[in-house]
Amino acid sequence: MSRGAFRAAALAIVLVAGALRVAALDAGLPHLMTRPDEESIVFQTSKPAHGIWDLEWAVYPHAYVYLCWGWSVAGVWLEQRLGLAPAGAYEPILHREPARILLLDRVLSAVAGTATVAVVIGVARAALGDGPALVAGALLATSFLHARDSHAAKPDAMLALGAALVLAALVPLARRATLGRGALAGAAAGFAMAMKYPGVLLLAPVYVAAVAGVPGRGWRRVVPGAAVVAGLTAAAVFVGTSPFLVFNPKTRAAVLGIVHVVLPQVYTTLPPDAPKVMGYAVEQYRTWWRGFIYHAVFSLRFGAGLLATLAAPLAVGWALVARRALPVAAAVFVVLYYVTIGISPAMLARYMTPLLPVLALLEAGAAAALVARLVPARRGAAALALVTICLAAEPTYRIVAWDRLAARTDTRLLATEWIAGHVPAGARVGIAGTHYWGWGAPQMPPGVIPIGVPDQPAALEAARVPWLVTHEHTLPYSGVDPATFAAWAPHLRLLADFDPFVPGRAGDAVFEQSDAYYIPLAGFSAVTRPGPQVRVYAVE
């Protein structure tokens, strides 16, 4: 393939990736809680805006919050220069228009997701050749889970970018392991760690590549200096960008608390000053192998597609058998990461997102090797294109359907707009149906006072509210007990009903039960719009 043809094809793939990640980027806005954790990250940026660098918050590394803050400040400045945002400092705009800042942070994830596709194409070309590079780019560009998570103001897309950058640094490191190349690989791993804690697992493929890059035998190959420098560099980047996670005892204990929840097998006791980590509906004693099954038959099955999921272990096997430095290092990371995440009782599909760039590269390499073995050279390009279409067809359909659904107005927004037009300011409105998470409830318009109504027969009378809003869904975080509602029913008159489901098909949509996210991963035709079913009643 000529250089011009390759560049044109690569550019087309990157543009497709960008389009799929930018479409419906404003899903659910201005409701701040349509995707869990986003609003927490957005409001954490007010601290560095005040010069407060110790966030005393450990859900994600502080460096990611700092990055979101810097990106949003630059975005607001640019919007102001273009006349798209009101004049003023960052923090007043944050509190007056938080949805504006949230959208900017989602743009950051979309840019990171698109950049990851470009990096993977470059890495695959350097290590495997032109054909596998385009295949890897196409597989990642159309990856449903990667594209979906590139829509969220969360660090999953940034961690995936970090994984791709580490792969890029491993190409020269595996050829010759110098201290400088080790430092470069360590800096890439440190960036990934600074975005999300599991990035530390990327040090394993760095070590493998460093070993491959040392000629001869002996202890110098077992403990290569490049690997030592990489580890020290990664630690320096992480500590330098999130120092208070290490040096503040309270925050350090919170990090240990997160590790205990996500990986309770690591240790069974916590320091006495470690806070309890809320937010994960996990079973501490769940069967240890359950996560492996979940991420295979749910996370990857719906996130990458059935054929790509079936091909994943074959691609890892090809990498280990082929014994080429970069594929072996990538396969080591896939196995280590999958095992680490698989033994955790905290199971969420988005935990697989950082694997997808690496799997795309391995599956592209395996596909090219298979085609080269079975198909005559003159038909190789067509056969490789056909394999790519087969692997990418399902996730492409899924992300296009997701984007179309996410672009429609959320039921929570419809309910908020109805309340704003029918309920006077200063009124008290009861909210019922919230279980554990609060993301299913619509936000009240300014001036309307929300009153939580417990799921108990006597709670409605005790609340003394003239209006009641309920939210219900197949997810366990929204719903009113039928017995409770039967006790309330004589006092309720239905005013508005915002139902996201096609009648009789609620059970056909596939939602992740452990994630309070009201957009499905499959069965899109059973849903007309995002959100739970929201009803507004007059209380009489």
Side-chain angles (χ1 to χ4, degrees), residues 378-387:
R378 66 181 183 278
R379 299 178 181 175
L384 192 57
L386 180 61
V387 171

Side-chain angles (χ1 to χ4, degrees), residues 260-283:
H260 176 71
V261 170
V262 177
L263 289 172
Q265 301 91 340
V266 174
Y267 51 83
T268 57
T269 59
L270 286 174
D273 59 339
K276 294 182 179 179
V277 180
M278 301 301 294
Y280 289 96
V282 300
E283 303 168 20

